[in-house]
Amino acid sequence: MANDGLLSLEDIFDGKFLRIPDYQRGYAWGEHQFKDFWEDLENLEDEHSHYTGVLTLEKVTKQKKDEKIEFWKRDVGAYESDKSFYVVDGQQRITTSIILVQVILESVKELNSFCGEFVNDLLSKYIVKKKPNYFTYYFGYTSDNPSYEFLKTKIFGDKSASNEKKETLYTTNLENSKKFFEEKIKNLNVNEIEIIF
C-alpha cells in the first residue's frame, strides 16, 4: 500500500483489517520501549503529532487467503473484506498504539462521549466491528498465531470459547503493555486523556 504522506491512526484503520502474518516475530516490546513511547506522547507540543515511523502494509488477496483458508475462515470479517492487509513493517508500533487506544477507551467507557464522539463509535472505528453472530477486530494476528486469541481475550476483553490459553513471551509482552498503559492512564483526568488520544 503506497502512501508517502503522514497518516493518523484514523486514516490507517479506515475500515481496514490489519493482520500480523505468521512469518513476523511476535510483540517484542518491553518496559523500555513503553516508557519511550509514553514520554514521546507526553512531550508533544500542542497541535503536533507523534511520528511513529514507517508502516508497510501488503494487501491480502483472495488467493493468499485461500492458501490458508482454515485460518482465514476463523477470522470471518477480515476474510470477507477486500480491505485486509498484512503488516509487513511497523508491527511493534501499531500494536502498541492500538493497545493504548484500547486502554483509553476502556478508561472512558462510562462516558457518553469522548473527544466529540460516542465511545461506542470510537470502539467501532478502531477496535471491533460487531456483527450479530461475531466480532471482527480491525487489528490482530493471523489465527494460526497464539497471540491471535490472546489479543482478543486479554487485551480487547472478548469472551472466547476457543482460547487455548497459550502464553508465550510475546503474549506476556502484550499483557505487560496493557498494564503499563493502564497504570499511566489511571493517573490522568479526562482532559489529559483526550490530549493523549
Side-chain angles (χ1 to χ4, degrees), residues 22 62-76 79 86 141-145 148-149 152 162 164:
D22 60 356
K62 182 167 179 358
Q63 179 183 352
K64 285 183 185 177
K65 291 176 185 176
D66 288 344
E67 289 170 5
K68 293 191 169 197
I69 191 73
E70 70 275 11
F71 299 118
W72 279 97
K73 282 290 190 174
R74 290 175 52 197
D75 194 357
V76 179
Y79 174 73
Y86 284 139
Y141 295 85
T142 54
S143 69
D144 54 339
N145 185 317
Y148 171 78
E149 285 291 328
K152 288 181 0 183
S162 63
E164 299 168 3

Side-chain angles (χ1 to χ4, degrees), residues 4-193:
D4 295 333
L6 297 178
L7 299 175
S8 68
L9 275 181
E10 183 175 7
D11 295 330
I12 290 168
F13 280 88
D14 190 29
K16 294 178 198 75
F17 294 93
L18 306 180
R19 296 294 178 263
I20 308 298
D22 60 356
Y23 58 80
Q24 289 282 23
R25 73 180 173 149
Y27 187 62
W29 274 21
E31 183 95 11
H32 178 75
Q33 290 88 359
F34 307 152
K35 284 180 180 176
D36 287 348
F37 186 86
W38 183 258
E39 286 174 10
D40 286 347
L41 294 176
E42 279 188 319
N43 293 325
L44 275 178
E45 296 177 26
D46 289 345
E47 305 302 317
H48 285 81
S49 299
H50 174 63
Y51 176 73
T52 59
V54 174
L55 180 66
T56 305
L57 305 177
E58 174 191 350
K59 181 133 174 92
V60 183
T61 63
K62 182 167 179 358
Q63 179 183 352
K64 285 183 185 177
K65 291 176 185 176
D66 288 344
E67 289 170 5
K68 293 191 169 197
I69 191 73
E70 70 275 11
F71 299 118
W72 279 97
K73 282 290 190 174
R74 290 175 52 197
D75 194 357
V76 179
Y79 174 73
E80 293 173 350
S81 175
D82 63 348
K83 293 174 77 174
S84 297
F85 296 86
Y86 284 139
V87 179
V88 177
D89 186 34
Q91 77 111 325
Q92 306 296 322
R93 296 179 300 272
I94 194 76
T95 304
T96 304
S97 297
I98 207 62
I99 291 171
L100 176 57
V101 168
Q102 174 68 23
V103 168
I104 288 172
L105 294 177
E106 284 178 4
S107 76
V108 298
K109 67 182 172 194
E110 302 303 321
L111 301 176
N112 190 26
S113 69
F114 177 71
C115 290
E117 293 189 54
F118 291 112
V119 174
N120 283 339
D121 291 344
L122 290 169
L123 280 166
S124 295
K125 185 185 290 186
Y126 295 105
I127 307 295
V128 65
K129 181 178 188 174
K130 295 182 180 181
K131 293 287 190 171
N133 298 326
Y134 62 90
F135 291 174
T136 298
Y137 292 89
Y138 290 112
F139 175 82
Y141 295 85
T142 54
S143 69
D144 54 339
N145 185 317
S147 296
Y148 171 78
E149 285 291 328
F150 190 91
L151 185 76
K152 288 181 0 183
T153 58
K154 298 290 187 175
I155 305 303
F156 296 143
D158 192 0
K159 308 258 184 296
S160 174
S162 63
N163 187 1
E164 299 168 3
K165 299 193 183 344
K166 290 182 183 175
E167 295 194 17
T168 66
L169 171 64
Y170 300 130
T171 60
T172 299
N173 292 341
L174 289 167
E175 191 167 35
N176 289 341
S177 176
K178 185 171 186 182
K179 287 177 183 176
F180 176 86
F181 290 122
E182 285 172 336
E183 194 62 33
K184 293 296 186 182
I185 292 295
K186 80 176 187 183
N187 298 318
L188 302 178
N189 64 43
V190 173
N191 291 335
E192 292 168 325
I193 295 171

